[in-house]
Amino acid sequence: REENYEFGRKPSLTREGDDVTITFETAGWCDVTVAIEDDRGTIIRHLASGVLGPNAPEPFVWNSRAQTLVWDGKDDKGEYVDDKDIVTVRVSLGLMPRFERTLYWAPERRAGNVHALAAGADGVFLFDSGRAFDHIRLFGRDGHYERTLYPFPADKIEDIPDLMWHTLPDGSTIPIKPNMYQSTMLKSGDGFTYDYSRDDGHYRSRGNTHDGKNASSGRTIAVAGSRLVLSGVSFSRLAADGTSGGLPLHGPDISRRLDRVIQVGHTYATEGFVRTRIFSPARTALSPDGRWLYSTRRFVHHGRGNISAHWEGHTVQRTDFTGDTSPEEFLGSQEPGSDNGEFHKPSDVDTDAQGRIYVADHGNHRVQIFSPDGEWLRNIEIKFPSQITIHRQTGEIYVFCWPMPRQGTRAHHTTGGRATAPLPAHGDLPKSWARVHVFSTFDAGCEPQKVWNLPTPAEEHPFFRLPRLDATVDSWAESPTIWVTPGERTFPGNVVVLREKDGDLEEIRNFRKEARRSVIRTGAPAFQRQRLYVNPADGMLYVGEGTSREGKSFQQVIRVDPRTGRLRKIDLPHNSEDMAFDQDGHVYLRTRDMITRYQPDTWREVPFDYGEHREREGYPDGGGDRTTEVISGAIFPGNRGWHQGGLHVNARGDIIIGALYEVNPSSRREDSEIHQGERFEPRMYPGRRYDPGGRFGGILIHILDRHGQMLHADAVPGLIWAQNGVALDVDRRVYLLAHRTRAYDGEAGWNPLSGTLMRLTPGQNRILSAFGAPVSMDASPDRPPDLLFGRNRGRTWVEGAHWFYGGGGWGGHNSPGTSLCSCHNSRFALDYFDRSFTPEVARYNVGVVDSAGNLIMRIGQYGNVDDGEPLVDRGGPPNPRSIGGDEVALFHGAYIASHTDRRLFIADPGNARILSVKLNYYTEETVSLKDVPDAGGPAN
């Protein structure tokens, strides 16, 4: 658009019966929005919106700044508006978004499933990670939130020496998130099967090294002075000011690898593959001068909370923190031992002000102390030492003790935050099996001073039932203060701050309790997925987060009032994989093959005229599902419950839905029979690709009317995945954010993990694939492919598409490696003006596209949660920073919802918050119909 938002001629109206003619002229080729509003300011007809010029969308005429539009007197549903005198015509030029406020955010809420703590002179640093995203927050002495260090602040990002940057076509540059999910800049974790190449500015596969789909960028954090280190497979250098302290961000590999691990029967691998097993240290410490990084405790974890205590080496490594050399085995040996200088399951390491090294020798029930050059000095006998912290002010020795997994045994298995296997047998554990022992300084002989029980397994701290804790001592607090959190791979997360009072430890902060009071939910959403829905009748926002065992559906939603920020938990009648609202405020829920409809205030069912009764209906998602009796639900072809393809209701009440349907043209399975006992037969043709051999079939797009009657089944034939959503306009044209990337002259662009937004007409399109099609093509179309699956693979042609808009969405299914996972995805939003709000997560913005495929503008820029000055401070961080422009700071804005041209909502799991963005315009003119004489006599 041209940034000239003035009228050449202001709007004027003429009336003739029901028809109202609107004329105006703009001074530039800008975007124009025309709305018909009632006397309360509610839009009753979304008449037109788009960019003027050579590709102006209907009903605008091309290549003209002078426009004439006719309103036929009907509302969005096609019904006549009786009282025209209450109607106002609004013509707005130049969409102008502005960051309004932060919603559904609390720094006390855990943002991952890996947690680590470190205390320094600036405060206590909390690392949250897992499920692809990383967060490092700084808290003050009493536990109040201070600021976020990672994601990096917007004004510090250019101070990181070895970040990679991509130059966009307009000459601007953006920092690269180089991992497979484009979710972090830190390369210390294990999620890098796909990596950004400096050579040609593209993402490329690094081969099948390891899966990393639930990867974090570290397991432990340590601090010395202003230096921080986050350690995992390798380590990341950070600093308390939000930079890397002038050092390169990425450090060398500090893990051990076993390369001959065969995994057979992977979801996407029929013959198995070699997978590297990585043993990364779980505890680290920096020398007091920040020169050396010590690391220990290397054992491997397997799957969802299953911890195997296979210890890989009984050593302490030492690495030059400022260099790029590999670590050396500094203390201990590969095999366990009990002599001085030998270890059996070394579980932690720390240093004192003199550089002495303290090692928690867990299996030998002692702490060993060494000189800075590695000479053994002294032992402290203590049962089950698991962590050790040297008080930075007094030199006292704090030893945290609890039993850890035994060699070759499973420690625990967690399901939805509940421990389903007993603790490992270590004899009779005391009621409080986690304790902290305080010893005098090394010079004072390391004499016992105090013993405190940590509050386990008290009911208010259920997470302590899992023997994976992480603790630190705040050496700068006025009295002894201990912070405790669950360690790695535990649910739900919490942080408890304990302070000495009258010789005992008193709880002064409990993040879980505080998060429950402020934002209801205390843990991270399943796969960091926050689907957003807006009720157009009242403007309320609803947040759907995975609450089932598999995390693919939800039994409750959080209702957010964007005007006040208030939250309320709403129980749904049954498990739902997706949700939508119509213009009257009815809520639609979807199961595997049924749509149900309700009044959201009473949750009474609104039956469909064409529907089916069921005694028990819900979305199957791994057990524990909520079901209900359905009077009459609309049914559609769908036979698989996993990742579905979206649900949307247009202004007229028509419904579009994407449903998984397994199809095998050679040997059809019995459980593919659905839909009132009839077998649905998708249309087969040469080049149509299904997924007959795998667990999943393709996504079928279906369109139903407001009564539940099928209008188009399989409306986009040949589609495989559509986890990024579908939508429908009032003319029943399909908008789809496909997971496949846009091809330019037959080649993928710089970001092959992005998807492609397109518009199609049902019955006039089909998708052809030269990749994995069981019904092969005789010959591919005589033109370059429109879409690609990953980099230059899976050539795909879309016949009948109106247009394509590339670079949107986010999906691991585009990766050509082994980490094909749709658990992490995104959603676009289509408003009643037929504007698509498309997440462009790699660019840190949301693209706004009109119904003709023109880019209107982009909303947002790089930033963390402290960046962006809101219109309303309440509910957000205490000290927001202005970043200019629209002030919308994004790190990974993946899930979108809109309330017509009132508000835009963006769920940004990279910053663990939802942003409310006010949608204003640079210039507006309104004309009331009561001031316009009717030249055509009485209206209808």
Side-chain angles (χ1 to χ4, degrees), residues 166 174 239 243 270 305 320 397 412 441 540 566 593 650 684 697 712 716 764 854 916 937:
H166 180 77
I174 53 172
T243 70
T270 57
D320 185 348
I397 305 165
H412 67 272
T441 66
M540 292 293 181
R566 293 196 180 108
D593 63 348
N650 70 9
M684 297 297 295
H712 297 280
V716 187
Q764 300 179 22
N854 300 306
S916 175

Side-chain angles (χ1 to χ4, degrees), residues 15 18 36-39 44 71 73 79-88 928-930 939-940:
R15 294 176 60 179
D18 289 311
I36 311 300
E37 300 178 333
D38 63 16
D39 53 351
I44 56 178
W71 175 48
E79 300 172 354
Y80 282 101
V81 177
D82 294 328
D83 188 358
K84 300 290 195 303
D85 286 343
I86 67 169
V87 170
T88 297
S928 176
L929 276 187
K930 69 180 180 180
N940 182 56

Side-chain angles (χ1 to χ4, degrees), residues 563-788:
R563 294 159 297 197
T564 64
R566 293 196 180 108
L567 309 176
R568 179 184 174 189
K569 184 172 73 172
I570 306 292
D571 290 323
L572 301 179
H574 60 77
N575 255 32
S576 179
E577 194 274 341
D578 214 338
M579 181 172 166
F581 285 91
D582 65 21
Q583 200 174 44
D584 293 326
H586 298 130
V587 61
Y588 296 68
L589 306 178
R590 67 89 43 84
T591 66
R592 187 170 60 184
D593 63 348
M594 176 174 278
I595 302 169
T596 59
R597 182 168 59 190
Y598 298 90
Q599 290 278 6
D601 50 351
T602 63
W603 290 100
R604 294 184 59 181
E605 186 181 349
V606 182
F608 287 94
D609 297 330
Y610 298 87
E612 191 174 277
H613 169 262
R614 289 183 181 171
E615 292 288 340
R616 292 168 59 87
E617 183 63 10
Y619 188 81
D621 197 10
D625 307 315
R626 177 176 296 161
T627 61
T628 190
E629 181 179 3
V630 176
I631 298 171
S632 182
I635 55 177
F636 55 87
N639 65 359
R640 280 291 172 264
W642 201 245
H643 293 290
Q644 304 294 338
L647 173 66
H648 180 259
V649 183
N650 70 9
R652 294 181 185 270
D654 300 319
I655 308 163
I656 186 169
I657 190 163
L660 269 173
Y661 192 77
E662 184 174 279
V663 177
N664 192 327
S666 58
S667 59
R668 189 175 293 278
R669 295 171 49 152
E670 288 300 319
D671 56 9
S672 293
E673 296 183 14
I674 53 93
H675 201 61
Q676 293 182 320
E678 299 177 2
R679 188 194 304 275
F680 178 74
E681 297 282 356
R683 178 166 57 96
M684 297 297 295
Y685 53 82
R688 177 162 192 174
R689 178 177 184 259
Y690 291 122
D691 230 351
R695 180 176 181 177
F696 303 112
I699 293 286
L700 302 186
I701 303 299
H702 310 300
I703 301 173
L704 300 83
D705 67 14
R706 70 177 71 180
H707 306 291
Q709 190 170 24
M710 183 67 69
L711 298 175
H712 297 280
D714 195 14
V716 187
L719 184 67
I720 298 298
W721 297 109
Q723 282 78 12
N724 294 323
V726 295
L728 194 70
D729 67 19
V730 293
D731 296 316
R732 294 174 178 165
R733 293 170 299 200
V734 175
Y735 294 74
L736 165 69
L737 182 53
H739 77 286
R740 294 196 174 188
T741 191
R742 181 76 170 99
Y744 301 91
D745 296 326
E747 299 289 327
W750 72 278
N751 182 13
L753 297 180
S754 63
T756 305
L757 180 70
M758 64 185 79
R759 192 184 81 175
L760 311 104
T761 298
Q764 300 179 22
N765 68 87
R766 65 176 186 166
I767 298 176
L768 306 173
S769 175
F771 176 65
V775 183
S776 62
M777 291 183 289
D778 296 331
S780 60
D782 188 21
R783 59 184 175 87
D786 301 309
L787 310 175
L788 293 168

Side-chain angles (χ1 to χ4, degrees), residues 106-109 139 142-145 494-497 507-522:
E108 296 83 15
R109 184 186 186 189
F139 291 85
D142 59 355
H144 65 274
Y145 171 80
N494 193 11
V495 172
V496 174
V497 184
E507 179 182 283
I508 63 171
R509 296 293 299 270
N510 186 308
F511 280 19
R512 188 180 182 194
K513 290 180 180 178
E514 295 169 28
R516 183 181 291 116
R517 287 195 297 266
S518 60
V519 293
I520 302 176
R521 295 245 169 92
T522 60

Side-chain angles (χ1 to χ4, degrees), residues 393-410:
Q393 303 296 313
T394 66
E396 291 177 311
I397 305 165
Y398 285 70
V399 183
F400 296 87
C401 301
W402 50 77
M404 297 185 69
R406 292 183 302 171
Q407 184 81 11
T409 63
R410 189 178 76 168

